[in-house]
């Protein structure tokens, strides 16, 4: 009975895919209804009336029946296509059906693991909305940085759907005896690859071991009578990008998973199984499954980006980067006053510096020939978000950026994954991402759910090969018309050259650079931030791994130009004590080496031959 229901679901979904490819907002929505997917009518009504979800998205239509069926699943779909509902709706559906009703004293039934605090809060918010009509289902969260004692008290009372970051969950598994998880039915890994990238690999293994949910442990625990049969436990893994990390993760946590969202054109080469050859896929349920039992050992995935996303790159020499960033931001906000933009930077110090600069930088009277009073260069509200901020400030920035109509967010990759900021129009990657998968997640903060969106990647001329790396994943970018943008700024008496030799000699670039350097010089706090940012930025640049090291070569950086990009006039040797110390140590080491080799040579030359 169950199988036939799933089969009919799969056929229906295939039909919706075709139909929806022909129309709909960017091909995101399916033409079936939530109740067609087998969800409870009250839940469907609530999704429609209170949450405004009229119909499921494509991935929801395909994956919700699979999750309801109880199978382990690996779900892959573009950013912003509604993957959170893919697991939360079936969990709520199945929990509200239980007779007798679940109680808080039954403890945790579903565990959702996420990589960051912000995502934890976001998923918890959605879970709270979903259980609105089912007051006996209690969502809750635990995450790093929160008060442990309060969390313990909440766990003691009982949390039915628990959203957690891995470190804090492990802590409670080890130390909170009142945490009941004997009824655990689901473990969901949202942004699975990122959880591993953040170094939670060991924690995850320990968690799975604690919960008796490692693939190989499971049968043993069942045999020992510690766990109910397999059907009672379901693991689900979700990400917009399939990487080697997801592969590892799937290997330890999934048992005969159903793969949803992988289609033929996504993998371009290679002979082996994505899941290390261990995976045996079932042929029933989704018709597409049988096709996917072979995958490359090092898959080159064609990333699935929102079709309506406009992707461009801007080629800028290092010394002009800051001026170009400000000019583009100004142009974007002038073009559309009410909009939201996110700028990604590589380090917390770089975020702090740019946050202070962009919040405070004003047009001086010397810039404006007519008006004497100063005015802010950017009129919008500026927020910043990174991992070194106090937890409450992170929370405020997150909430603040969501609620503003027009705002700029400067952030590190802490905001790259999963966060759903409504109405973000443009993503600027001022500092390059690492792996192509990171590019995909960053740009995924815009063009969500079929909305419009633009993405702009800054590259120095020496870094342009990064575009080839993206192309390997079928991500191709067009060049941004920078000259046109720069020419649109007033030059105040300076001659406009029709044919410019280089961007760095553009009168507007020179003009704004001088103004920025003066501004940084007169603000001691900003100057300090600029120096710290310079040092951390160069350190981060040296941290690129693998093949990317050949593109982002620190040797090719002109440190004087890097300093200019932080509004500093000084040469790098004058900037940052840690740098001076490092350089001094290096010189000493080299000096010692020279001395020893001279001595050796002397010894050799004075040694009598034979
Ligand atoms: N069926 C639906 N109809 C309308 N809106 C929806 C529907 N499903 C989800 N949404 C909304 O779409 C947005 C994106 O959802 P979600 O954050 O779950 O996407 P995602 O695929 O997990 O993205 P990412 O890969 O970036 O994590 C959210 O604002 C969510 O409320």
């Amino acid at each position: 009975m169950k199988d036939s229901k799933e089969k009919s679901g799969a056929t229906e979904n295939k039909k919706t895919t075709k139909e929806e490819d022909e129309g709909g907002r960017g091909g995101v929505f399916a033409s079936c209804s939530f109740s067609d997917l087998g969800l409870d009518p009250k839940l469907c009504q609530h999704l429609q009336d209170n949450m405004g979800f009229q119909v499921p998205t494509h991935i929801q239509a395909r994956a919700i029946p699979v999750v309801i069926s109880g199978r382990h699943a690996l779900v892959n779909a573009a950013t912003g296509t509604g993957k959170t509902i893919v697991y939360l709706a079936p969990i709520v559906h199945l929990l509200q059906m239980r007779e007798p009703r679940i109680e808080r004293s039954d403890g945790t039934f579903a565990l959702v693991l996420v990589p960051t605090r912000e995502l934890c809060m976001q998923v918890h918010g959605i879970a709270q909305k979903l259980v609105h009509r089912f007051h006996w289902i209690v969502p809750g969260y635990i995450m790093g940085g929160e008060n442990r004692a309060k969390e313990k008290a909440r766990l003691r009372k009982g949390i039915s759907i628990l959203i957690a970051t891995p470190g804090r969950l492990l802590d409670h598994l080890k130390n909170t005896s009142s945490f009941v998880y004997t009824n655990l039915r689901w473990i969901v890994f949202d942004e699975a690859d990122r959880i591993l990238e953040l170094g939670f690999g060991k924690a995850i293994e320990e968690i799975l071991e604690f919960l008796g949910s490692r693939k190989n442990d499971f049968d043993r625990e069942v045999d020992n009578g510690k766990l109910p049969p397999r059907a009672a436990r379901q693991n689900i893994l979700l990400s917009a990008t399939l990487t080697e990390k997801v592969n590892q993760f799937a290997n330890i946590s999934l048992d005969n998973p159903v793969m949803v969202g992988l289609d033929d054109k996504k993998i371009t080469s290679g002979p082996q199984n994505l899941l290390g050859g261990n995976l045996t896929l079932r042929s029933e349920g989704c018709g597409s499954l049988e096709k996917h039992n072979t995958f490359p050992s090092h898959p080159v995935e064609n990333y699935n980006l929102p079709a309506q996303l406009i992707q461009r790159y801007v080629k800028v020499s290092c010394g002009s980067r800051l001026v170009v960033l400000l000019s583009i931001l100004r142009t974007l906000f002038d073009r559309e006053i009410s909009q939201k933009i996110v700028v990604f930077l590589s380090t917390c110090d770089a975020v702090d510096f740019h946050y202070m600069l962009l919040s405070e930088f004003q047009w001086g009277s010397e810039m404006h020939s007519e008006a004497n009073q100063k005015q802010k260069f950017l009129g919008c509200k500026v927020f910043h978000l990174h991992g070194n901020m106090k937890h409450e400030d992170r929370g405020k920035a997150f909430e603040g950026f969501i609620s503003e109509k027009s705002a700029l967010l400067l952030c590190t990759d802490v905001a790259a994954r999963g966060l759903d900021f409504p109405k973000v129009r443009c993503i600027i990657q001022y500092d390059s991402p690492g792996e192509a998968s990171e590019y995909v997640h960053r740009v995924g903060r815009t063009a969500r759910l079929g909305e419009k969106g633009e993405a702009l990647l800054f590259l120095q001329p020496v870094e342009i090969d990064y575009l080839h790396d993206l192309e390997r994943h079928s991500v191709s970018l067009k060049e941004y018309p920078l000259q046109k943008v720069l020419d649109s700024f007033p030059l105040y008496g300076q001659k406009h050259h029709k044919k410019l030799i280089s961007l760095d000699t553009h009168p507007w670039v020179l003009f704004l650079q001088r103004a920025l350097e003066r501004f940084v010089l007169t603000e001691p706090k900003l100057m300090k931030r600029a120096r710290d940012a310079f040092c951390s930025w160069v350190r981060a640049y040296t941290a690129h791994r693998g093949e990317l090291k050949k593109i982002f070569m620190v040797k090719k950086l002109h440190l004087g130009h890097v300093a200019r990009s932080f509004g500093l006039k000084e040469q790098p040797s004058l900037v940052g004590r840690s740098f001076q110390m490092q350089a001094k140590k290096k010189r000493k080491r080299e000096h010692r080496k020279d001395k020893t080799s001279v001595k050796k040579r002397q010894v050799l030359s004075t040694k009598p031959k034979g």
Side-chain angles (χ1 to χ4, degrees):
M1 177 65 199
K2 198 172 159 196
D3 273 349
S4 69
K5 196 172 164 195
E6 279 156 12
K7 271 181 194 154
S8 68
T11 328
E12 195 163 53
N13 295 342
K14 264 191 170 173
K15 191 178 102 201
T16 59
T17 309
K18 192 166 172 289
E19 280 173 2
E20 143 222 321
D21 282 347
E22 287 159 9
R25 212 198 310 161
V28 173
F29 291 102
S31 55
C32 59
S33 68
F34 277 110
S35 49
D36 290 339
L37 308 178
L39 292 171
D40 175 78
K42 259 199 288 182
L43 181 58
C44 297
Q45 199 68 44
H46 177 64
L47 281 165
Q48 255 184 331
D49 298 349
N50 303 337
M51 296 181 73
F53 298 178
Q54 301 307 322
V55 289
T57 62
H58 179 197
I59 192 67
Q60 289 165 357
R62 290 176 70 187
I64 286 175
V66 173
V67 179
I68 292 177
S69 78
R71 296 178 197 167
H72 286 220
L74 175 59
V75 181
N76 174 247
T79 49
T81 50
K83 290 189 288 297
T84 318
I85 293 294
V86 160
Y87 59 86
L88 280 183
I91 289 173
V92 172
H93 161 78
L94 291 164
L95 283 180
Q96 61 82 32
M97 265 172 45
R98 282 193 168 223
E99 285 294 344
R101 273 186 186 180
I102 63 164
E103 291 178 11
R104 292 193 76 164
S105 58
D106 293 331
T108 297
F109 287 86
L111 192 57
V112 181
L113 282 157
V114 291
T116 61
R117 288 173 55 85
E118 285 74 18
L119 196 50
C120 200
M121 280 156 57
Q122 184 177 296
V123 174
H124 176 249
I126 299 168
Q128 266 187 323
K129 282 185 191 157
L130 271 180
V131 299
H132 190 71
R133 288 201 175 176
F134 314 106
H135 58 87
W136 59 98
I137 304 172
V138 182
Y141 63 85
I142 52 173
M143 58 189 189
E146 291 294 294
N147 184 314
R148 270 192 189 75
K150 283 187 186 162
E151 285 185 350
K152 270 181 188 237
R154 289 206 303 269
L155 286 171
R156 194 177 309 121
K157 277 190 181 171
I159 297 175
S160 339
I161 303 174
L162 180 64
I163 299 111
T165 52
R168 182 53 66 94
L169 172 68
L170 189 58
D171 186 342
H172 283 293
L173 283 173
K174 286 178 177 170
N175 304 313
T176 305
S177 52
S178 54
F179 176 17
V180 178
Y181 51 88
T182 42
N183 288 314
L184 192 67
R185 166 92 166 77
W186 297 274
I187 307 180
V188 179
F189 300 96
D190 200 347
E191 305 294 347
D193 47 337
R194 187 62 182 159
I195 294 177
L196 289 191
E197 275 164 19
L198 288 177
F200 286 124
K202 267 211 92 144
I204 291 296
E205 290 217 17
E206 274 192 73
I207 288 168
L208 290 174
E209 223 147 278
F210 253 100
L211 302 173
S213 214
R214 276 177 71 109
K215 202 170 70 182
N216 299 332
D217 298 337
F218 196 88
D219 292 329
R220 205 181 52 228
E221 302 288 307
V222 173
D223 290 345
N224 293 343
K226 286 191 188 167
L227 284 177
R230 182 176 303 285
R233 208 43 100 66
Q234 183 182 17
N235 293 352
I236 303 159
L237 236 117
L238 305 102
S239 182
T241 50
L242 290 177
T243 62
E244 200 48 35
K245 303 272 181 199
V246 181
N247 183 356
Q248 291 165 16
F249 216 151
N251 261 335
I252 59 168
S253 60
L254 301 183
D255 187 15
N256 277 350
V258 176
M259 319 249 276
V260 191
L262 288 102
D263 44 346
D264 287 335
K265 50 186 169 34
K266 295 184 87 187
I267 312 285
T268 53
S269 65
Q272 279 180 25
N273 198 319
L274 173 69
L275 305 182
N278 298 338
L279 185 73
T280 46
L281 292 167
R282 296 167 189 223
S283 58
E284 82 267 33
C286 282
S288 57
L289 290 181
E290 280 171 297
K291 296 181 208 155
H292 305 302
N293 55 3
T294 54
F295 290 99
S297 55
H298 302 291
V300 179
E301 192 198 349
N302 289 349
Y303 289 130
N304 192 355
L305 286 142
Q308 74 284 10
L309 174 70
I310 298 169
Q311 300 178 78
R312 289 190 284 206
Y313 71 93
V314 58
K315 193 161 75 175
V316 196
S317 60
C318 192
S320 304
R321 273 163 46 84
L322 186 59
V323 166
V324 170
L325 173 68
L326 263 73
S327 307
I328 290 176
L329 285 173
R330 172 89 193 197
T331 307
L332 288 170
F333 279 110
D334 280 352
R335 195 178 71 188
E336 200 178 325
I337 293 167
S338 192
Q339 69 165 320
K340 284 199 256 188
I341 298 174
V342 178
V343 178
F344 281 98
L345 297 117
S346 58
T347 73
C348 304
D349 287 335
V351 169
D352 284 339
F353 163 71
H354 289 91
Y355 170 65
M356 193 169 184
L357 179 76
L358 290 173
S359 312
E360 295 176 10
F361 180 53
Q362 300 188 337
W363 294 78
S365 55
E366 77 276 19
M367 286 180 176
H368 267 268
S369 51
E370 288 144 32
N372 266 344
Q373 79 267 43
K374 288 184 173 184
Q375 64 180 101
K376 284 242 175 102
F377 187 83
L378 289 180
C380 66
K381 259 201 125 153
V382 185
F383 293 92
H384 69 316
L385 187 63
H386 61 68
N388 281 352
M389 285 165 64
K390 280 190 203 151
H391 294 313
E392 67 247 45
D393 292 341
R394 267 171 82 162
K396 275 185 208 157
F398 176 63
E399 301 290 346
F401 187 64
I402 285 178
S403 58
E404 285 293 328
K405 274 207 171 117
S406 178
L408 172 68
L409 174 70
L410 304 162
C411 58
T412 58
D413 275 332
V414 79
R417 293 289 188 128
L419 297 191
D420 185 47
F421 299 119
K423 306 270 172 225
V424 169
R425 237 358 193 337
C426 183
I427 300 294
I428 298 181
Q429 306 197 50
Y430 184 56
D431 292 334
S432 318
E435 305 297 325
S437 59
E438 270 330 291
Y439 172 92
V440 172
H441 287 282
R442 283 176 169 193
V443 300
R445 298 318 98 210
T446 186
R448 295 173 77 71
L449 218 67
E451 296 260 350
K452 278 195 230 159
E454 280 179 55
L456 182 62
L457 173 67
F458 271 64
L459 288 173
Q460 295 180 42
V462 290
E463 301 167 342
I464 217 75
D465 276 352
Y466 187 67
L467 294 176
H468 300 315
D469 201 60
L470 292 177
E471 270 162 21
R472 284 192 326 124
H473 299 273
S474 297
V475 177
S476 58
L477 280 63
K478 292 216 168 87
E479 189 161 2
Y480 180 83
L482 180 59
Q483 176 90 42
K484 217 166 116 190
V485 168
L486 297 177
D487 287 349
S488 69
F489 283 93
L491 298 171
Y492 301 112
Q494 304 209 32
K495 275 195 177 161
H496 179 74
H497 303 271
K498 271 204 168 150
K499 253 196 171 177
L500 287 163
I501 302 156
S502 90
L503 171 92
D504 305 327
T505 56
H506 192 289
W508 167 252
V509 172
L510 296 174
F511 184 57
L512 188 55
Q513 181 68 32
R514 268 199 304 274
L516 284 163
E517 285 174 10
R518 262 198 306 274
F519 188 73
V520 171
L521 201 65
T522 50
E523 301 280 333
K525 261 190 171 172
L526 190 59
M527 171 70 100
K528 183 179 176 316
R529 284 194 182 189
R531 286 176 172 159
D532 292 345
F534 170 85
C535 293
S536 71
W537 189 90
V538 176
R539 268 198 301 274
Y541 203 89
T542 58
H544 281 287
R545 280 171 294 171
E547 287 295 301
L548 292 177
K549 255 200 154 109
K550 292 181 194 155
I551 299 170
F552 302 101
M553 289 173 79
V554 78
K555 269 196 285 183
K556 286 194 182 166
L557 281 181
H558 185 306
L559 294 182
H561 293 173
V562 178
R564 263 171 68 90
S565 74
F566 289 95
L568 294 167
K569 281 184 172 178
E570 296 99 317
Q571 290 299 298
S573 58
L574 297 173
V575 183
R577 289 191 70 195
S578 65
F579 242 82
Q580 281 180 319
M581 300 285 276
Q582 272 177 14
K584 218 170 160 183
K585 273 187 194 164
K586 199 173 162 200
R587 275 202 301 276
K588 263 190 182 170
R589 255 198 324 270
E590 276 164 8
H591 186 61
R592 265 204 305 272
K593 245 196 214 163
D594 286 349
K595 260 181 150 177
T596 353
S597 55
V598 168
K599 265 187 193 164
K600 269 186 191 162
R601 275 201 302 276
Q602 278 172 351
V603 173
L604 285 174
S605 62
T606 51
K607 251 188 184 174
K609 278 184 183 167

